[in-house]
Amino acid sequence: MRILVAGATGYVGSRLAAELLKDGHEVIAATRNPGRLAGFGWHDKVTGVALDADDPTSVRAAFAAAGPVDVIYYLVHAIGQPGFRDRDNAAAANVAEAANHVGVGRSFIVVTRRENPLSYRLCDNSVQRRFDAADDRLARIDR
């Protein structure tokens, strides 16, 4: 499968990319700064694309550069920055709308458990509906 990992240079995303490669998937590693991919041992086995989830133009360009995508793992967050919840909701909406537009088959978002005081809900209901529109088989992974 062709799998786009948004947030591929982050802690979870970098480990997920390595595991997906081990499983034989074709990985598109999406990150704000594709130059950072060089710091990972698997960088020469992925297609790197620039994706700034805060910028709808960047998101559309990333999907155009990536080509057909079967699955998206969305691992982008702005935790610790002022207004991160609103920013994360807007960024997730940008990616969900682009995924819907290009017909991505499945989307996964990673959220943390609510009982964890450091956790947060990645998407409000309107954003969740946009991901659902991109794929009615949306799966959530709770960590």
Side-chain angles (χ1 to χ4, degrees):
M1 294 178 84
R2 287 180 48 82
I3 301 175
L4 186 143
V5 178
T9 56
Y11 181 81
V12 175
S14 62
R15 284 152 180 79
L16 176 61
E19 291 302 314
L20 292 170
L21 288 167
K22 281 185 202 174
D23 288 345
H25 297 288
E26 184 177 347
V27 175
I28 299 99
T31 178
R32 283 179 298 191
N33 181 358
R36 290 188 57 210
L37 294 170
F40 298 94
W42 43 257
H43 73 92
D44 58 341
K45 297 176 181 82
V46 301
T47 300
V49 296
L51 185 151
D52 180 348
D54 291 326
D55 178 1
T57 301
S58 171
V59 173
R60 287 189 299 272
F63 277 100
V69 173
D70 300 307
V71 176
I72 297 172
Y73 282 93
Y74 184 82
L75 306 164
V76 176
H77 66 81
I79 293 175
Q81 298 179 23
F84 76 88
R85 284 183 180 90
D86 291 338
R87 181 177 173 189
D88 283 353
N89 284 331
N94 291 337
V95 174
E97 288 171 9
N100 188 32
H101 180 72
V102 300
V104 171
R106 275 184 100 172
S107 302
F108 294 87
I109 58 174
V110 175
V111 296
T112 57
R113 295 195 185 281
R114 291 185 198 155
E115 56 268 24
N116 180 340
L118 298 176
S119 71
Y120 68 103
R121 180 163 164 69
L122 177 66
C123 300
D124 66 20
N125 288 334
S126 65
V127 173
Q128 186 68 49
R129 283 190 296 276
R130 289 182 187 132
F131 269 105
D132 289 344
D135 172 23
D136 60 9
R137 298 166 297 154
L138 177 76
R140 287 188 44 193
I141 301 171
D142 288 322
R143 293 270 171 174

